[in-house]
DNA sequence: CGCAATGAATTGAACATTCAGTTAATTAAG
DNA sequence: CTTAATTAACTGAATGTTCAATTCATTGCG
């Protein structure tokens, strides 16, 4: 009889695997309910294996934040806004930023826990600041493009970008309180409308000017 | 010699006292670090006294959410927007909503933890929904007032109110990432400006119309 | 072989909770 | 007014469990 051999993985595979399980445990039971033991049980490995890779739980948490933030960063790099025509582009951009894919890339519940940690944990705080700075830079670049094309009339694009980030995060903040999909979709539409208003967007004229 | 008598308090005094200590412990050490033992130590009482009043930790948490939400509700009831002249009023309202007092009424870090809990905990979720509904109703009433006066041109005041709530929470979400007071104040000003734009606010004409 | 991956066994502290008992305040009866 | 009975506030000890972490042994791959 062939005993089911355990497959040995290297750190490069195992560490992210553990982090993903840790993340899933936080989603299911909250940060306060995510112990090393539970993560190990979920993976059918020994708790000490987790300690082997991360030394301390705090380490594991910091690395988890890195992991999540990288995921989010990837999202930023791969934003697919193709249109060059500014009117098309701004609508496509907003559609992406308020898309389900964007919303679901990370788990909002777990993100809240991590944001809470960022108040007490300098390393985590720094990582979030970096992420949001990246995000702001990306948006500011887009805003400048729209301003150059003369289709919006916002003020300083860098600050406006930050306000925009607030709106996007505020949306993530609230979305889950809208239970039925109708009101959820209406909320989404209204958010887009609000952003366009906020930016002083001038729609394309249908016929003459 | 008079031995320092322990003061006996009744439930009406003791329970909120415990809740406040629980809240402070969450602020200091996170929800994941807020144990009954730590709360008791902070108060110089015995852990079992906490159990006496709340039976379970989960109970205590639900009652904490009630407590916080009541605090926030009080804030709503006591909003001091006195001006009747609509232009003055809208500026005063925004100043209140983006004031330091408003921001500091509850602790954002602890709020994040509770919001995270609301994803898994039906009772907590319901309470948050109620709070935000209250908030939305309050804002919608104000919006209607401004629309009637013809100084803004928003759409459905109820939905616009919800977008506004998102913006306010998004602001709370971000404020703590702005470390120096200069950029923090600039961010605040820009948020107000964004809201006025969003609402289609038409400023008072200085001279003729 | 050598080293990384993994597992077992165990530590001591902290955890929420229970329970039995004590102390103080309140009420009612004498 | 005094005192006994009742109730609520509170304490202390002990419960079994889970926690993160350590130490040391074993296994398998290159």
């Amino acid at each position: 009889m062939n005993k089911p051999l355990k497959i040995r993985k290297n750190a490069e595979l195992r560490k992210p695997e553990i982090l993903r399980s840790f993340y899933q445990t936080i989603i299911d039971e909250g940060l306060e309910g995510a112990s090393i033991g539970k993560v190990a049980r979920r993976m059918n490995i020994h708790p000490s294996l987790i300690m082997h890779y991360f030394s301390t739980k705090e380490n594991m948490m910091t690395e988890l934040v890195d992991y999540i933030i990288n995921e989010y960063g990837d999202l930023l790099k791969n934003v697919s806004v193709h249109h060059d025509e500014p009117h098309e582009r701004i609508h496509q951009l907003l559609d992406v930023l308020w898309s389900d894919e964007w919303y679901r890339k990370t788990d909002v519940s777990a993100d809240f826990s991590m944001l809470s940690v960022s108040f007490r944990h300098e390393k985590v705080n720094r990582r979030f600041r970096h992420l949001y700075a990246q995000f702001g830079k990306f948006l500011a670049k887009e805003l400048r493009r729209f301003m150059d094309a003369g289709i919006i009339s916002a003020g300083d694009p860098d600050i406006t970008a930050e306000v925009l980030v607030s709106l996007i995060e505020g949306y993530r903040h609230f979305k889950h309180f809208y239970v039925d999909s109708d009101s959820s979709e209406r909320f989404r539409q209204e958010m887009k409308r609000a952003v366009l208003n906020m930016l002083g967007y001038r729609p394309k004229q249908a016929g003459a000017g």
Side-chain angles (χ1 to χ4, degrees), chain A residues 167 188-200:
Chain A
L167 250 174
R188 202 178 74 87
Q189 291 296 343
E190 196 66 20
M191 287 297 282
K192 277 176 56 184
R193 210 181 75 95
V195 170
L196 290 174
N197 269 348
M198 189 192 96
L199 297 176

Side-chain angles (χ1 to χ4, degrees), chain A residues 46-139:
Chain A
H46 206 275
S48 57
L49 184 57
I50 295 178
M51 298 308 292
H52 168 68
Y53 282 115
F54 297 99
S55 305
T56 68
K57 195 186 181 185
E58 190 182 292
N59 255 335
M60 179 163 62
M61 210 189 53
T62 323
E63 294 206 28
L64 175 62
V65 174
D66 283 334
Y67 183 83
I68 298 170
I69 281 182
N70 273 336
E71 292 268 304
Y72 210 89
D74 282 351
L75 203 58
L76 269 186
K77 279 184 203 111
N78 300 324
V79 170
S80 45
V81 181
H82 304 301
H83 282 292
D84 278 333
E85 197 285 310
H87 292 278
E88 300 277 3
R89 190 181 181 88
I90 196 168
H91 281 103
Q92 198 185 19
L93 177 66
L94 294 190
D95 278 334
V96 168
L97 293 176
W98 268 270
S99 67
D100 249 38
E101 194 207 342
W102 194 275
Y103 179 75
R104 287 192 214 286
K105 184 64 184 186
T106 62
D107 182 85
V108 183
S109 160
D111 290 355
F112 275 138
S113 288
M114 295 302 169
L115 277 165
S116 169
V117 171
S118 82
F119 280 77
R120 281 161 273 118
H121 198 298
E122 179 51 32
K123 275 188 184 175
V124 175
N125 188 292
R126 229 178 303 133
R127 279 159 174 80
F128 269 106
R129 276 223 297 275
H130 179 253
L131 172 69
Y132 285 128
Q134 240 187 307
F135 197 4
K137 239 172 92 179
F138 165 79
L139 290 177

